[in-house]
Amino acid sequence: MENEITIILYDDAVHRNQVTDLWENVFGYPADYNAPEVVIDRKIAVDDLLFVAVEGGAVVGTVMAGYDGHRGWIYSLAVRTDSRSRGIGSMLLAAAEQALAGQGCIKVNLQILDSNAGACRFYEANGYGVEARISMGKKLA
């Protein structure tokens, strides 16, 4: 029998090691500026829109959200491989959307690597659609 899944705010003292391990396993992070420790430190310095899915005391998923007063963003939605296909990703996404809506956000954006068809299917199943946009980026020193 599976334990109950709860979606809660990230607690650095409790969740850091598990989130770091999860992100390294799911995302790989080849770039130093995307190292989980760096991302976590920067995120918790700004706001508390980092959520974890916990089952039996273990982190099985994460989602990070951001809001700039105009648009909301979803980042780092990850579910442990052995916990997928159980609705955990959708629960995390709904928690992030609810938190963003509570701050007055009316539109949410996200980016997906074009090679990640599974993520595209997941987000489409959760009401997201492809928009005609060009994503550009610039690394600042």
Side-chain angles (χ1 to χ4, degrees):
M1 181 174 143
E2 294 171 351
N3 293 313
E4 181 179 349
I5 304 295
T6 56
I7 309 299
I8 58 174
L9 286 173
Y10 170 86
D11 180 335
D12 196 54
V14 176
H15 303 125
R16 177 178 282 265
N17 291 339
Q18 292 182 72
V19 170
T20 298
D21 290 345
L22 173 65
W23 287 359
E24 286 173 350
N25 288 327
V26 172
F27 301 124
Y29 290 118
D32 289 343
Y33 62 87
N34 274 338
E37 298 85 357
V38 173
V39 173
I40 291 168
D41 287 344
R42 290 183 176 163
K43 181 61 177 171
I44 62 178
V46 174
D47 63 36
D48 64 352
L49 293 175
L50 175 53
F51 300 90
V52 292
V54 178
E55 179 178 31
V59 172
V60 295
T62 65
V63 67
M64 193 163 61
Y67 182 54
D68 62 12
H70 182 65
R71 294 276 194 276
W73 285 86
I74 299 295
Y75 308 92
S76 304
L77 194 150
V79 175
R80 228 169 54 184
T81 305
D82 61 356
S83 295
R84 292 184 182 165
S85 299
R86 296 175 44 211
I88 297 169
S90 296
M91 291 170 61
L92 284 159
L93 186 58
E97 291 170 346
Q98 183 178 9
L100 290 168
Q103 292 187 5
C105 179
I106 59 172
K107 175 139 185 340
V108 179
N109 293 336
L110 55 88
Q111 295 177 323
I112 306 167
L113 293 175
D114 60 359
S115 61
N116 194 340
C120 289
R121 286 190 301 274
F122 167 79
Y123 285 110
E124 287 171 346
N126 280 278
Y128 287 75
V130 175
E131 296 179 332
R133 307 284 188 274
I134 296 173
S135 178
M136 300 178 83
K138 177 182 176 183
K139 185 177 174 188
L140 302 176

